[in-house]
Amino acid sequence: MQCPGAQYLASAERTPRQREWRPQLYRKCTDTTWLFLFFLFWTGLMFITGYSVAAGATGRLLFGYDSFGNVCGKKNSPVEGAPLSGQDMTRKKHVFFMNSCNPEVKDVRLNSTILCVSRCPEEQLSTLEEVQLFADNNGSFLCVYSLNSINYTQNPNAYSLCPRLPVPPSKSFPLFNRCIPQTPECYSLFASVLINDVDILHRILSGIMSGRDIILGLCIFALALSLGMIVTFRFITTLLVHIFIALIILGLLFVCGVLWWLYYDYTHDLSIELDTERENMKCLLGFAILSTVITAVLLGLIFVLRKRIKLTVELFQVINKAISNSPFLLLQPLWTFAILIFFWVFWVAVLLSLGTAGAARVIEGGQVEYQPLVGVRYMWWYHLIGLIWTSEFILACQQMTVAGALVTCYFNRNKNDPPDRPILWSLSILFCYHQGTAIKGSFLITLMRIPRTILMYISNALKGKQHGVWSRCVFRCCFCCFWCLDKWLRQFNQDAYPATAINGTDFCTSAQDALKLLSKNSSHFTSVNCFGDFIIFLGKVLVVCFTVFGGLMAFNYNRALQVWVIPLLLVTFFAYLVAHSFLSVFETVLDALFLCFAVDLETNDGSSEKPYFMDQEFLSFVKRINRVNARAQGAERSLRNEEGMELQPVV
């Protein structure tokens, strides 16, 4: 991509001696080296994609294959040393696991014979006679190919060559043609075969399968709550803020109380002898303690910051006025989600294709297994980095688009004539000039994510092995440190992106300038900015609280079925993710707005020669902030001018 040259719209200096804040006057390509590196990185991803298509067996992935190397639904070539390979499976399109409900674990994998059948058994088969009758009536043979259906009840080895009884009812999955058992326990074990993690996945999928309808309903409920929070922040008033905070307090106390009540109920329940009940009780105790701590901290912060409510209402009114110039900013999370889902589907498809890239090897019993090719495991790690980096890049593009649209509207002299299509203009500036900056910022986040992912992988690998308290403490400390660095870098990026949109500088220069400028003007808006972020965070907490409360009530009715704390955690994560995605627009607008204000103070003094870009409403709001800060600090100096309050420009 050939980048256009530097453009000067209002400045005659091509290389100024001292770089200054010049809003939207100077524009050049930034961090082009990182754009080139990202292009090379994606070239590697495309190579892995091509390799997975060429070396991976997409037929085995899509149509499934049996234990003897035959792809279901196709004619097959024989594998040397495997007498049951090379069969015509054109009419046998379904994959059947012989021991899906009673597996034998071998090397952390389910050692179950797999067959290609023409039809899945939709009713339970309890005897070999019923298995034989099913084969005669439907032409679907559930025993090993070498055993004729006539001999199902006569051959002394039939019990080892046929599925373990009883055979559970199953249905074919429309896309991959797997015969999926319909009972929750068998379903979870079946999925464990595909993903090869029996212990952990059994519990996750067992709980998800038993409460899949509840999970779907709670996810829709979380989405509706998030949209409701957007409407609340969009048309916020003092009364709404008081109602909102009251709901937050009620939700926190209610969820905390329900968790402790459920824990008390579990400890006095006779069914606690069940393993699932015991695990539910332990997780409930952890949830209750954690929710109590969070509730205490948030209630304390709400009490301390309660006097800032009026200013917060005015702050959101200013934010909403800025958003009103480009109301489609609130829809940015939708297309970001659409792009992310498309990329994630592509990433998973390539990962699964890599998982099928292997050479056939005959093992005992004439069965065939596929060994991963050399270097595939390294490709998995490269592919994982691609997932993190690209996902963060997509999110960074959303931040830069929102910030750029706000900057375009803010630095517009004629407030009665807002610019046309600011979002499209911001996107064009991003893709023409600042893709490299978004790539560099997202790479820094990736650098923090990779060590955290490796630590999680090592920690899971060491589970169940003997290692001391010191090593566990080191793991947790390192994980917490990387988590804190990740949060700091995200805020660092959120300040750098608007600075790039304003001044057209590279990532490091923008971050440095933004940090210096915000530090110089921190007295104007630090407290109200923090409280605005806190209110937005409380909005996310509200969505999570009521979603978790609904989950607690719904899952509690199925307490004896499965370990339901795992699907509850899944619902909690999804609720926070949705709330964060939608409400993050307000966070980005808030941070970009105050950076624009700081730049406005830096470049203008409010005189007729250098008037402020901010409108009168924002100007009055800043004056009230100065007045509140002056009273809080006991200042005696007067800030009044002919209008009543004088802004102190930075020198």
Side-chain angles (χ1 to χ4, degrees):
M1 173 180 175
Q2 186 176 1
C3 184
Q7 295 180 357
Y8 295 84
L9 302 179
S11 176
E13 297 182 5
R14 183 166 297 274
T15 55
R17 294 182 180 180
Q18 183 177 1
R19 181 176 45 77
E20 300 175 352
W21 286 96
R22 291 172 296 175
Q24 297 189 299
L25 300 182
Y26 178 78
R27 192 69 62 186
K28 68 175 183 178
C29 291
T30 55
D31 299 301
T32 53
T33 303
W34 285 93
L35 181 60
F36 178 70
L37 290 176
F38 193 63
F39 174 78
L40 290 181
F41 181 84
W42 257 91
T43 302
L45 284 181
M46 289 296 100
F47 170 79
I48 291 177
T49 302
Y51 178 83
S52 67
V53 172
T58 55
R60 296 206 314 266
L61 175 65
L62 294 177
F63 304 108
Y65 61 98
D66 62 14
S67 297
F68 309 100
N70 300 298
V71 177
C72 300
K74 289 188 173 184
K75 291 184 178 180
N76 296 275
S77 302
V79 177
E80 186 177 355
L84 295 180
S85 64
Q87 299 193 32
D88 185 0
M89 297 293 181
T90 306
R91 296 186 177 181
K92 299 179 178 181
K93 299 181 179 181
H94 304 283
V95 181
F96 175 71
F97 289 74
M98 290 180 59
N99 300 324
S100 58
C101 271
N102 303 286
E104 296 177 0
V105 181
K106 182 178 180 182
D107 297 331
V108 201
R109 296 174 184 267
L110 295 180
N111 188 23
S112 176
T113 303
I114 306 171
L115 302 175
C116 294
V117 298
S118 58
R119 184 177 177 180
C120 301
E122 297 181 357
E123 297 180 356
Q124 180 169 300
L125 306 176
S126 303
T127 63
L128 287 178
E129 287 77 9
E130 293 182 1
V131 174
Q132 184 180 33
L133 182 63
F134 177 78
D136 294 337
N137 292 339
N138 301 282
S140 184
F141 306 99
L142 305 183
C143 298
V144 175
Y145 309 133
S146 58
L147 181 64
N148 193 286
S149 61
I150 302 175
N151 299 323
Y152 281 5
T153 58
Q154 300 176 2
N155 194 309
N157 298 323
Y159 282 98
S160 61
L161 299 176
C162 291
R164 189 169 299 181
L165 302 174
V167 180
S170 59
K171 290 184 180 180
S172 176
F173 189 66
L175 181 60
F176 296 107
N177 295 326
R178 268 66 168 177
C179 291
I180 302 179
Q182 294 303 292
T183 58
E185 297 83 359
C186 296
Y187 177 86
S188 63
L189 291 175
F190 162 79
S192 300
V193 175
L194 298 181
I195 310 180
N196 300 324
D197 195 354
V198 178
D199 296 331
I200 299 175
L201 201 65
H202 174 270
R203 298 180 180 181
I204 296 175
L205 292 178
S206 179
I208 293 175
M209 181 62 184
S210 61
R212 57 189 181 275
D213 297 332
I214 298 174
I215 293 174
L216 179 61
L218 290 172
C219 291
I220 295 174
F221 180 61
L223 181 61
L225 283 177
S226 299
L227 293 175
M229 291 309 305
I230 285 184
V231 174
T232 301
F233 286 145
R234 186 71 179 85
F235 304 101
I236 198 166
T237 62
T238 304
L239 178 61
L240 275 179
V241 172
H242 283 91
I243 295 175
F244 169 71
I245 293 180
L247 288 175
I248 287 288
I249 296 174
L250 179 64
L252 288 171
L253 294 176
F254 208 60
V255 169
C256 187
V258 168
L259 285 170
W260 283 111
W261 173 75
L262 287 176
Y263 174 71
Y264 175 82
D265 189 39
Y266 267 95
T267 56
H268 292 78
D269 195 343
L270 295 178
S271 64
I272 197 63
E273 297 301 325
L274 297 173
D275 290 338
T276 55
E277 294 292 292
R278 191 177 297 108
E279 293 188 18
N280 284 340
M281 187 186 70
K282 291 179 181 178
C283 292
L284 272 176
L285 178 60
F287 279 149
I289 295 174
L290 181 62
S291 66
T292 303
V293 174
I294 294 175
T295 299
V297 173
L298 290 180
L299 290 180
L301 289 174
I302 291 173
F303 178 78
V304 171
L305 299 173
R306 68 190 185 282
K307 295 182 179 180
R308 296 278 180 172
I309 291 178
K310 186 177 180 181
L311 280 178
T312 303
V313 173
E314 296 179 6
L315 171 64
F316 276 97
Q317 290 174 349
V318 171
I319 293 175
N320 288 324
K321 186 172 183 180
I323 292 177
S324 64
N325 293 325
S326 52
F328 288 104
L329 283 178
L330 296 177
L331 301 180
Q332 293 304 300
L334 294 178
W335 66 260
T336 302
F337 255 124
I339 295 175
L340 282 174
I341 290 174
F342 175 80
F343 169 68
W344 289 341
V345 170
F346 164 77
W347 186 87
V348 170
V350 174
L351 180 67
L352 294 178
S353 296
L354 279 178
T356 61
R361 185 174 69 91
V362 180
I363 58 177
E364 59 178 342
Q367 296 188 4
V368 177
E369 73 172 9
Y370 292 89
Q371 294 291 330
L373 299 176
V374 179
V376 168
R377 294 190 180 275
Y378 298 104
M379 293 183 183
W380 289 349
W381 284 104
Y382 190 94
H383 199 50
L384 175 63
I385 297 174
L387 170 68
I388 300 174
W389 194 0
T390 306
S391 299
E392 293 296 337
F393 170 68
I394 295 172
L395 295 175
C397 287
Q398 173 182 303
Q399 290 183 347
M400 290 203 70
T401 301
V402 173
L406 181 70
V407 167
T408 302
C409 295
Y410 185 95
F411 292 104
N412 175 42
R413 288 294 182 189
N414 189 358
K415 300 301 182 183
N416 296 322
D417 184 21
D420 295 331
R421 303 180 183 87
I423 298 177
L424 293 178
W425 173 257
S426 178
L427 279 172
S428 64
I429 292 297
L430 168 63
F431 286 108
C432 288
Y433 296 102
H434 304 312
Q435 286 189 78
T437 299
I439 290 169
K440 187 174 183 178
S442 58
F443 180 76
L444 294 178
I445 301 295
T446 306
L447 280 182
M448 294 297 104
R449 284 290 186 89
I450 293 174
R452 287 172 59 191
T453 304
I454 294 175
L455 286 174
M456 290 178 62
Y457 175 80
I458 296 174
S459 178
N460 290 330
L462 293 178
K463 279 186 177 179
K465 298 183 179 180
Q466 295 294 331
H467 54 282
V469 178
W470 174 252
S471 61
R472 290 196 298 269
C473 182
V474 170
F475 271 115
R476 291 173 182 173
C477 289
C478 292
F479 190 83
C480 289
C481 289
F482 282 117
W483 182 84
C484 293
L485 283 174
D486 178 80
K487 294 301 179 183
W488 181 81
L489 275 176
R490 288 186 182 278
Q491 184 60 46
F492 191 71
N493 289 0
Q494 199 147 309
D495 293 335
Y497 294 149
T500 298
I502 294 171
N503 231 22
T505 49
D506 60 78
F507 179 84
C508 293
T509 304
S510 299
Q512 181 182 5
D513 292 346
L515 184 62
K516 289 181 179 179
L517 191 61
L518 292 174
S519 299
K520 291 163 67 175
N521 292 274
S522 61
S523 60
H524 286 295
F525 49 77
T526 298
S527 58
V528 71
N529 189 15
C530 292
F531 191 61
D533 288 334
F534 180 64
I535 290 293
I536 295 172
F537 174 73
L538 287 182
K540 303 173 188 177
V541 172
L542 179 66
V543 174
V544 174
C545 276
F546 281 90
T547 305
V548 169
F549 171 72
L552 286 172
M553 294 294 98
F555 285 120
N556 188 49
Y557 289 104
N558 298 326
R559 60 164 66 182
L561 294 178
Q562 299 298 327
V563 180
W564 49 260
V565 292
I566 294 176
L568 183 62
L569 278 175
L570 179 65
V571 169
T572 303
F573 171 76
F574 180 82
Y576 183 81
L577 180 64
V578 171
H580 173 73
S581 299
F582 280 90
L583 298 182
S584 63
V585 174
F586 289 95
E587 289 181 328
T588 304
V589 170
L590 178 61
D591 292 336
L593 188 63
F594 279 120
L595 182 62
C596 291
F597 162 72
V599 173
D600 204 1
L601 288 185
E602 182 78 2
T603 56
N604 302 295
D605 55 12
S607 62
S608 57
E609 292 81 11
K610 292 184 176 181
Y612 291 121
F613 281 98
M614 70 184 83
D615 56 21
Q616 290 299 317
E617 184 177 349
F618 193 17
L619 187 62
S620 301
F621 173 69
V622 173
K623 292 174 183 178
R624 282 190 288 274
I625 293 177
N626 285 339
R627 184 185 306 165
V628 171
N629 290 336
R631 289 176 180 175
Q633 298 170 1
E636 297 180 356
R637 56 181 181 173
S638 175
L639 301 175
R640 299 182 180 275
N641 59 5
E642 64 275 4
E643 294 183 356
M645 184 73 66
E646 180 184 25
L647 286 173
Q648 299 296 325
V650 179
V651 291

